[in-house]
Amino acid sequence: MQVSLKEIHKVFSDGTHALRGVSLDIYPGEVLALLGENGAGKTTLMKILAGIYKPTSGEIYIDGKKTKFKNAREALRLGIAMVHQHLSLIPGLTALENIAVLEGAGLGPISGEVRKRAEAIAAELGFEIDWDRDVEELPLGVRQRVEIVKALYWGADLLILDEPTTVLSPPEVKSLFQVVKNLKQKGKSIVYITHKIPEVLEVADRIAVLRRGLKVAEFKPPYDAKKLVEAMVGELKTESVERSGETGERPVLEVVDLWVYEGGRAVVQGVNLVVREREILAVVGVEGNGQEHLVEAVVGLRKYKGVVKIHGGYAYIPDDRHGKALVLEKTLVENAILGKEAEFSRRGLISWKDAERFTAKLVEEFGIVTPGPWAFVKQLSGGNQQKLVVGRELSRNAKLIVAHQPTRGLDVATTEYVQHLLLKARNNGAGVLLVTSDLDEAYKLADTIAVMYRGRIVAIGSVGEMTLDVVGKKMAGL
Amino acid sequence: MIDLLLLQALLAATPILLAAVGEILTERSGVVNIGLEGLMLLGALAGPLFVDYLKYKVGAQVPDPLWPLLAILASAFVGIVVGLVHGYISTYLAGDQIISGVAINLFAAGAVAYGIQAYWGVAGYKQVPDWAKADPYVVATFALALAVFTWFLLFKTRLGIVIRACGEDPESAFNMGVDVNKVRLLATVAGSALAAVAGAYLSIAYLSVVTKEISAGRGFIALANVVFANWNPLLAIAGAYIFGFFDALSYWLQTMGVGRYEITRMVPYVATLLIVAGVMGRAKPPRALGKPFKRE
C-alpha cells in the first residue's frame, strides 16, 4: 500500500496547533520511523491516518486515491491499523471478544472461525495469548500482541506502532523488533513512532523527524545519531548541573526490615535502606522485583511490616502520572495545589487567586507549555504533564524526594530537564530515593546504587564501587 | 411451611429480577437509569387501566386469556416511551442521567396517584378484576428465562460484545464502527420496558391491586441488585431471590404474629442494605457508566 499525506493541518478545539502542514509518503514493505519529541505531533498525524482524528485541512491519498475516513473502522477496512501507546483494547472484554467486536452486532455467537484464525495469526508470529482472559488481566506486552493480531486479522497492510516499547521489558523489546522484521518481510508497511534513537537505528528503513507540528527532516541509512538528535531537539539548551557538596550525615529516610505482602506472597523481603541529605540513592533492577511495592510502602500507599522513618517531609513523583499524580479532567491550577490545599485556604475556602499565581509560577519556572493555567491537564503533552508533577512535588520543599521512573516516556529534552531538577534538589540538601529501570539515568544521577532482585536489596554501594558489570549480574540474580 | 415460604420468595423476587435484568442491559451499554421505581409504578397502572378502558369504554371483544397479555404489553409500551425519552436525553442530548432518572420517579409518583383518582375516582387503591389477572408463576418463569437469555445475549453473542464495548469504552467502540448512541438508546428502551413489565406483574399478577405506592421501593432494590450481581444477569437471579426470601419471610413472621408489623416489614430492606454494603467495594461497574458519549 502506498500512502501519501498532503499538507495535513490539525487544530484541536482548545486551540492547540498540533500539525502545521505535514506531508509524508509511506511505501509498501518499509519500516518508516516517525521520530520526534513528545508533543511534536507524531501521534496526532498517525491518528489522522488511522481515522481516529479528522484533519483540519489536508488530504490523504491511498494508492493514488483521495480518501476520507469517518472512523478507525473505515481506515482498517482499507488496511490501516494503529497499535496505540496506551493500548486501546476494550477493557472488560476478553482478548477474543476484542477481535470479534469488529464483526459487528448480531444475535449469533462469536464464530469458531474467529478463534481459529486469530490463533493461527498469533502462532505465525510466535505469540502465546490467553484468548479468554479479560484483556485487563493480561500484561501490557501481551495486550500489545493482541492488538497486533487484531490488526492483522482485519487485514491491515499498514501497521502503525505508537511508542511500542514503552510497555515492554527488554526481552520483549527484542522480540518486538523481530516481529517488525517479519511483518516487513510479508510486505506490510510499518510506521514506527518513537522518540528513542537506538530503536530507530535498529528497525528503520527510513526516518522522518517531526518537530513542533512540522516535518523537519528525512533520513536514509547510514544514520548519524547526532544529526537525528539535532533534528529532533532543535538545539539542546540544558546546562548540565554539576554535583556539588558531599553527602551529609543526617538521614532523611530510614527503612528497617521492610516487608510487603501481596496476595499472601512477600514481594519485599526485609529491605534496609538509608537515604541521607545530599544523596541520590538509585534503586535499580528489572521491573517487577518489588521496586514498586517498596516505593508505595515508603510513601504510605501500602501496608507493610517494619519501620519507615521520614525526616522532614517527602515529595512523591510516581511512575504512573495519569493514575497516581494527576487528575486529567481537572485544570492545571487544581492539579498544582493537590495535596497542599491548606496552603491556599483562608478560613476553609480556597483562594483561587493564590492558586493561580502559584500555578503561573510553576508554569514559568518549569517551562510547562500550556494554553494557560486554567487549561485541562489532559490537553498537555506527556512531557509537560510530567513537568507539572515534578514542579508541584519539588515545590513542597521536602527533605525526601521519592522519584519512581521520573523520566519514563519523556523526550530527550524533558528527560534531561527532570534529571537536572533532581540533581539540583540534591545539591540543595534534599535526599532522593530514585527508583528507575534506566541504568544510564541511575549512573548519571546516583551517589549510591542499590540493586533489587526478588524483593531484596542484593547489592548496594557507591557509584564508584558498583560497576556496570556487577550491577548487571546482580540484576539478573547471579 | 418452608416450601411455601420458598415459593412465596420466588414470587416476591420476580419484579426485582425483571427490573434488574433490564437495568443490567441498560447499564452494560453505559446508561444508568435510576427511574426504575417510577417505571414500575407507571407499568403497574398502565396495564390494568388500558384493559379496563378497552373492555368498558371501547367495548372491545377479546378472548379472556388475552386480557392479561394485553395489560402487560400496554405496560411495556409505556416503558418504551419513557425509555425513549430517558435514552434520548442520556445519549444524543448528553444530559445528566441521574437528573433524568429522578424526573421519571417524581413524574410517576404524581401521575400514578392522579391517574387512579382520575380514572376510577378512588383515592390511591383499586382492585384488579379477576379477568385481567395473570398467573404469577408464568411471569416468574418468564423472568427466570429472560435472565438466562440476557446473560447469553451479553456474554455469548456479537451483539452482547457490542453492548458491553459501549459501556466500557465508547470511544474505542465508536472507532470500531459501532453507533454508540443508538446501541445505548435501544438498551435503555429495553431496560425501561422490562421495569414497566415488572410493575404490571405487581398489579395484575402478584398483588392484584393498583395502589399509588405499589412499587414500595422495589425499583431501588432492583438497582441495588444490579450492583450485587456485578452486572451479571445470572447473579441477579440470586440477588432477587435473596430479597424475595426476606420479603416473604417478613410476611410469614407477620402471620405467625412475631414482632410488630412496622418492624417485620423492615426485614427485606435492611437485609438488602447489609448485603449491598457488603459487596459494594468488590463490584466493578462498566467503566463508562453514566458518561455521555460525545465525539472529540
Side-chain angles (χ1 to χ4, degrees):
Chain A
M1 179 189 312
Q2 148 95 48
V3 175
S4 288
L5 298 165
K6 296 248 194 280
E7 278 300 306
I8 303 281
H9 283 262
K10 177 70 188 178
V11 184
F12 284 104
S13 51
D14 60 50
T16 317
H17 207 144
L19 294 171
R20 308 159 184 269
V22 177
S23 298
L24 186 69
D25 292 315
I26 304 160
Y27 302 105
E30 76 163 347
V31 179
L32 168 67
L34 210 49
L35 187 66
E37 300 259 62
N38 287 327
K42 305 166 299 223
T43 302
T44 306
L45 183 66
M46 285 301 113
K47 280 191 172 172
I48 285 172
L49 178 56
I52 296 163
Y53 290 156
K54 286 184 182 139
T56 307
S57 69
E59 288 160 357
I60 302 170
Y61 292 87
I62 291 176
D63 292 328
K65 235 178 77 190
K66 195 172 158 187
T67 311
K68 270 190 179 150
F69 301 125
K70 272 217 307 263
N71 54 41
R73 177 78 181 113
E74 288 191 358
L76 190 50
R77 278 210 184 96
L78 287 175
I80 299 169
M82 183 155 178
V83 175
H84 297 270
Q85 177 182 12
H86 301 288
L87 301 170
S88 69
L89 294 170
I90 299 170
L93 302 188
T94 67
L96 192 67
E97 286 171 342
N98 261 286
I99 290 181
V101 73
L102 276 158
E103 273 194 316
L107 271 183
I110 305 170
S111 62
E113 195 61 19
V114 178
R115 179 186 295 271
K116 236 190 272 164
R117 272 190 55 206
E119 277 173 354
I121 292 168
E124 213 176 315
L125 292 171
F127 294 167
E128 264 187 44
I129 295 168
D130 186 349
W131 290 106
D132 296 314
R133 285 264 294 275
D134 185 333
V135 289
E136 248 189 324
E137 295 166 10
L138 296 174
L140 288 171
V142 177
R143 282 193 232 179
Q144 183 179 62
R145 293 169 166 207
V146 174
E147 289 223 48
I148 292 174
V149 172
K150 175 177 162 187
L152 296 177
Y153 182 100
W154 293 102
D157 285 321
L158 171 65
L159 207 59
I160 301 161
L161 305 175
D162 188 4
E163 304 275 2
T165 57
T166 316
V167 299
L168 301 182
S169 65
E172 284 177 317
V173 170
K174 260 197 184 145
S175 75
L176 175 77
F177 289 158
Q178 196 50 51
V179 169
V180 168
K181 282 168 194 161
N182 287 349
L183 292 171
K184 187 173 89 175
Q185 267 166 16
K186 286 189 189 151
K188 312 269 180 202
S189 313
I190 286 145
V191 178
Y192 191 103
I193 303 177
T194 188
H195 59 260
K196 294 178 187 156
I197 289 175
E199 291 182 11
V200 297
L201 298 179
E202 176 100 12
V203 298
D205 296 321
R206 194 158 58 94
I207 300 173
V209 182
L210 291 192
R211 192 169 77 221
R212 292 169 185 248
L214 288 170
K215 188 174 84 178
V216 291
E218 276 199 28
F219 295 95
K220 288 198 156 172
Y223 303 121
D224 178 347
K226 208 166 141 249
K227 285 218 172 97
L228 291 175
V229 176
E230 279 172 13
M232 257 173 88
V233 183
E235 75 259 52
L236 276 168
K237 58 167 182 227
T238 39
E239 82 274 36
S240 68
V241 180
E242 289 294 311
R243 195 175 302 272
S244 66
E246 287 293 305
T247 294
E249 279 303 312
R250 264 188 297 171
V252 294
L253 170 68
E254 293 172 275
V255 174
V256 184
D257 196 26
L258 181 79
W259 292 74
V260 180
Y261 296 87
E262 188 174 66
R265 218 161 47 87
V267 285
V268 174
Q269 309 184 359
V271 163
N272 296 293
L273 283 178
V274 178
V275 179
R276 297 174 202 282
E277 287 179 324
R278 272 196 290 283
E279 177 183 27
I280 296 183
L281 171 68
V283 176
V284 300
V286 177
E287 263 180 79
N289 274 291
Q291 299 97 315
E292 187 183 346
H293 301 88
L294 169 65
V295 167
E296 292 187 354
V298 166
V299 299
L301 286 174
R302 264 180 197 277
K303 284 187 189 160
Y304 59 86
K305 281 188 192 152
V307 181
V308 173
K309 266 193 210 154
I310 295 172
H311 308 281
Y314 70 91
Y316 175 40
I317 302 167
D319 54 335
D320 173 6
R321 58 178 168 267
H322 291 174
K324 296 181 192 158
L326 294 170
V327 187
L328 294 183
E329 309 285 329
K330 295 279 173 202
T331 62
L332 265 75
V333 176
E334 288 164 297
N335 274 281
I337 63 167
L338 271 187
K340 45 170 76 178
E341 294 84 354
E343 290 173 36
F344 296 93
S345 302
R346 287 189 200 144
R347 293 190 211 93
L349 295 177
I350 290 180
S351 161
W352 290 108
K353 238 191 213 157
D354 290 352
E356 184 181 332
R357 212 171 296 133
F358 170 69
T359 309
K361 213 182 93 204
L362 284 187
V363 166
E364 160 100 30
E365 202 177 319
F366 294 92
I368 301 166
V369 180
T370 167
W374 293 101
F376 290 104
V377 166
K378 64 178 174 190
Q379 290 170 233
L380 305 191
S381 73
N384 284 306
Q385 290 175 353
Q386 186 71 351
K387 284 188 209 163
L388 176 63
V389 174
V390 173
R392 177 184 74 203
E393 294 304 315
L394 293 184
S395 72
R396 291 187 205 283
N397 291 321
K399 286 301 254 182
L400 170 67
I401 297 162
V402 180
H404 190 190
Q405 306 279 20
T407 60
R408 164 181 286 180
L410 300 185
D411 58 50
V412 179
T414 316
T415 298
E416 294 240 338
Y417 184 59
V418 168
Q419 292 174 342
H420 154 101
L421 290 172
L422 290 175
L423 210 47
K424 201 163 125 194
R426 172 222 177 259
N427 292 345
N428 289 339
V432 179
L433 175 65
L434 170 70
V435 174
T436 181
S437 52
D438 181 344
L439 285 181
D440 285 342
E441 177 164 278
Y443 276 97
K444 193 162 156 195
L445 296 181
D447 298 285
T448 312
I449 290 185
V451 181
M452 202 161 177
Y453 179 73
R454 297 210 174 150
R456 296 171 192 276
I457 300 291
V458 290
I460 185 164
S462 71
V463 177
E465 299 161 6
M466 300 285 283
T467 62
L468 196 55
D469 187 46
V470 171
V471 169
K473 275 186 182 155
K474 292 289 179 189
M475 275 173 71
L478 299 172
Chain B
M1 190 66 233
I2 191 76
D3 46 338
L4 195 67
L5 189 64
L6 291 179
L7 273 181
Q8 277 301 314
L10 176 66
L11 296 187
T14 297
I16 313 291
L17 182 58
L18 280 169
V21 166
E23 181 69 6
I24 286 172
L25 197 61
T26 306
E27 294 199 5
R28 279 284 183 177
S29 82
V31 176
V32 63
N33 182 1
I34 62 160
L36 296 186
E37 180 79 7
L39 281 158
M40 265 195 203
L41 264 179
L42 289 170
L45 172 67
L49 193 150
F50 175 72
V51 291
D52 189 284
Y53 184 81
L54 209 57
K55 190 172 173 102
Y56 296 124
K57 300 277 161 74
V58 180
Q61 296 293 320
V62 173
D64 267 350
L66 279 187
W67 285 117
L69 190 63
L70 280 175
I72 288 174
L73 288 178
S75 295
F77 177 77
V78 169
I80 288 169
V81 172
V82 175
L84 278 171
V85 174
H86 180 66
Y88 194 76
I89 290 172
S90 306
T91 55
Y92 296 100
L93 298 184
D96 189 304
Q97 303 176 6
I98 299 300
I99 290 176
S100 173
V102 169
I104 294 172
N105 289 333
L106 291 177
F107 167 75
V112 170
Y114 174 78
I116 295 171
Q117 177 86 47
Y119 187 77
W120 285 295
V122 293
Y125 183 96
K126 173 71 186 167
Q127 203 81 33
V128 171
D130 279 344
W131 52 267
K133 282 184 193 167
D135 181 350
Y137 290 102
V138 173
V139 186
T141 312
F142 168 75
L144 285 172
L146 189 81
V148 176
F149 170 77
T150 306
W151 171 81
F152 182 82
L153 175 82
L154 279 174
F155 297 105
K156 298 290 163 191
T157 71
R158 286 174 288 140
L159 180 60
I161 297 174
V162 167
I163 292 172
R164 284 186 289 140
C166 291
E168 296 287 347
D169 188 352
E171 192 75 44
S172 294
F174 173 84
N175 274 317
M176 300 300 144
V178 175
D179 188 341
V180 174
N181 282 336
K182 190 166 129 197
V183 170
R184 286 183 163 185
L185 177 63
L186 292 177
T188 307
V189 166
S192 301
L194 286 177
V197 169
Y201 167 85
L202 287 178
S203 61
I204 68 167
Y206 183 47
L207 302 171
S208 305
V209 290
V210 185
T211 75
K212 60 180 176 157
E213 281 143 7
I214 189 167
S215 49
R218 288 184 180 84
F220 293 110
I221 304 268
L223 274 175
N225 189 20
V226 170
V227 179
F228 170 81
N230 205 9
W231 290 264
N232 181 337
L234 291 185
L235 289 177
I237 298 176
Y241 202 83
I242 291 171
F243 171 81
F245 176 79
F246 284 111
D247 199 33
L249 185 70
S250 80
Y251 283 113
W252 186 70
L253 290 174
Q254 230 168 282
T255 49
M256 300 298 284
V258 183
R260 286 181 58 85
Y261 167 78
E262 292 82 351
I263 304 294
T264 52
R265 274 312 286 150
M266 281 166 54
V267 167
Y269 302 98
V270 171
T272 304
L273 195 65
L274 292 178
I275 289 166
V276 171
V279 297
M280 207 66 192
R282 265 171 295 142
K284 221 173 95 200
R287 226 163 256 94
L289 182 60
K291 292 183 199 133
F293 172 65
K294 277 179 290 187
R295 209 190 165 204
E296 283 227 298

